Amino acid sequence: MKIRDFILFTAIGATAWNIILALLGYFFYSQQGVFEKYYKEMIVVIVAIGGLYALYLIYMAFTKKKRPKA
């Protein structure tokens, strides 16, 4: 990939992510009361999802079929 194309696509992607994150921050800032009310429950859910994903990765690592060497 040419450096010009790389810089162009990187700039487009970074701009898109920054816009998305700014909009999410604006939306969630207006919902501070909800976050304060359900803070503990949200943390439990986030940790549970992360734990389940880690278990899935461990499971996939141990059940991976060995490929024959060519």
Side-chain angles (χ1 to χ4, degrees):
M1 178 181 282
K2 295 179 183 178
I3 190 73
R4 180 179 46 95
D5 293 340
F6 175 77
I7 292 172
L8 174 67
F9 292 134
T10 300
I12 292 169
T15 301
W17 271 111
N18 282 318
I19 290 170
I20 290 169
L21 292 174
L23 290 173
L24 284 173
Y26 179 78
F27 172 74
F28 287 130
Y29 181 77
S30 66
Q31 302 295 321
Q32 275 185 322
V34 175
F35 280 112
E36 290 172 1
K37 185 176 181 181
Y38 297 109
Y39 178 75
K40 289 182 182 180
E41 290 84 356
M42 288 188 298
I43 294 299
V44 169
V45 169
I46 291 170
V47 169
I49 290 171
L52 288 173
Y53 182 66
L55 290 174
Y56 168 76
L57 291 177
I58 292 169
Y59 172 76
M60 293 305 289
F62 283 112
T63 60
K64 184 178 179 181
K65 294 182 181 180
K66 293 184 179 180
R67 298 179 188 168
K69 293 183 179 180

